[in-house]
Amino acid sequence: MLFPEYRGRRLRATDNFRRMIRETKLSRDDLILPLFAVEGKSVKKPINSMPGQFQLSIDHIVTMAKQAKDAGIPGIMLFGIPHKKDCLATQAYAHDGIVQKAVSAVKEQVPDLTVITDVCLCEYTDHGHCGMVMDDGTIDNDSTLDLLAKTALSHVQAGADMVAPSDMMDGRVAEIRGTLDDEGFSHVPIMSYAVKYASAFYGPFREAAESAPKFGNRKTYQMDPANALEAIREATMDIEEGADIIMVKPALSYLDIIYRVREEIDLPVAAYNVSGEYSIIKAAEMMGWVDGKAMIMETLLSIKRAGADIIMTYSAIDVARELNN
């Protein structure tokens, strides 16, 4: 029987051959670990819909930060759950807010670890939306921008190395960039959630961050999952406003979007392996249906293969340790 000159199996025959020609390689350097900070001490509250994840008081946040560094992960992303909420999200930009205190503690005890902060208002508002709510229930874009900039500035003043606005208000990157520059923080980069879809995959996160909207939904400011060309417009707009890194969120259901963004822009591209993507695998693993470790490694490899330079994932420490081995 005749075969083509090329036989693909020749270079699949041994583990060393496969390693030698592997086109995409996942690295510890690609990973960022998201963490949820809450008030109190010795608090480690399980998140029911995210097995293995917790709301953590600052002492535990520091412990996790040390574990991340020891595993070789370059950075963490901090989210905060405040002790009180109001219509103006005042705890988002308070100098003694939960994220501000967590940033200071981590930078004091793990100074070489990069600390990125999520900049949004949904965890801090009593209505759960990412912007200011008008009397008719609509989300007001422009009045939100100043509060987002104040929040970002307070994070940087506390020691954050990078800020990541996730609100999807038009013009927020420019507002934050201008504020940081005016206050002497022109060296601090912005990782923009530029391409953030209104996704069903965020459900577990909303339990973790206690940020579910009390009415309506976020479809008027987060993107329609049906749209791809719009992703390039959003990314381009944020680049023009001063973003240093462009994020696509979610990741697994939007690999085509990650690929398009990677092809169109020359800035680093981040992707968020979101809570629903994490929890689906964990739930199936707990039922004994799948090899969870192998599945998460394959998932992150697919995100990297699509073009992501940075991957936010709740599995970061486990994956880093697996890569170390």
Side-chain angles (χ1 to χ4, degrees), residues 147-164:
L147 300 185
L148 292 168
K150 287 173 63 175
T151 301
L153 178 61
S154 71
H155 291 177
V156 173
Q157 289 172 332
D161 299 294
M162 183 186 300
V163 293

Side-chain angles (χ1 to χ4, degrees), residues 27-34 64-77 110 112-116 310-321 323-324:
S27 164
R28 298 174 302 172
D29 298 339
D30 304 326
L31 307 175
I32 298 294
L33 174 68
M64 291 299 296
K66 290 177 179 177
Q67 290 183 20
K69 184 178 184 302
D70 290 344
I73 296 169
I76 61 173
M77 170 91 82
V110 199
D112 294 336
L113 187 71
T114 293
V115 176
I116 307 166
I310 301 166
I311 304 172
M312 263 64 63
T313 175
Y314 302 99
S315 303
I317 289 180
D318 291 339
V319 169
R321 288 171 176 167
L323 292 172
N324 288 342

Side-chain angles (χ1 to χ4, degrees), residues 156-216:
V156 173
Q157 289 172 332
D161 299 294
M162 183 186 300
V163 293
S166 63
D167 54 284
M168 287 299 286
M169 297 295 120
D170 294 337
R172 88 273 204 214
V173 172
E175 189 77 12
I176 291 170
R177 183 75 274 160
T179 297
L180 294 182
D181 290 357
D182 290 345
E183 295 294 331
F185 295 106
S186 60
H187 60 285
V188 175
I190 297 173
M191 177 165 62
S192 173
Y193 290 67
V195 183
K196 181 178 180 180
Y197 287 89
S199 172
F201 283 92
Y202 301 152
F205 174 92
R206 290 174 181 172
E207 177 193 346
E210 300 179 9
S211 62
K214 295 295 189 296
F215 64 90

Side-chain angles (χ1 to χ4, degrees), residues 114-135:
T114 293
V115 176
I116 307 166
T117 58
D118 177 81
V119 176
C120 195
L121 305 182
C122 60
E123 298 107 306
Y124 305 92
T125 54
D126 51 13
H127 47 71
H129 277 285
C130 302
M132 295 297 97
V133 176
M134 305 289 282
D135 291 341

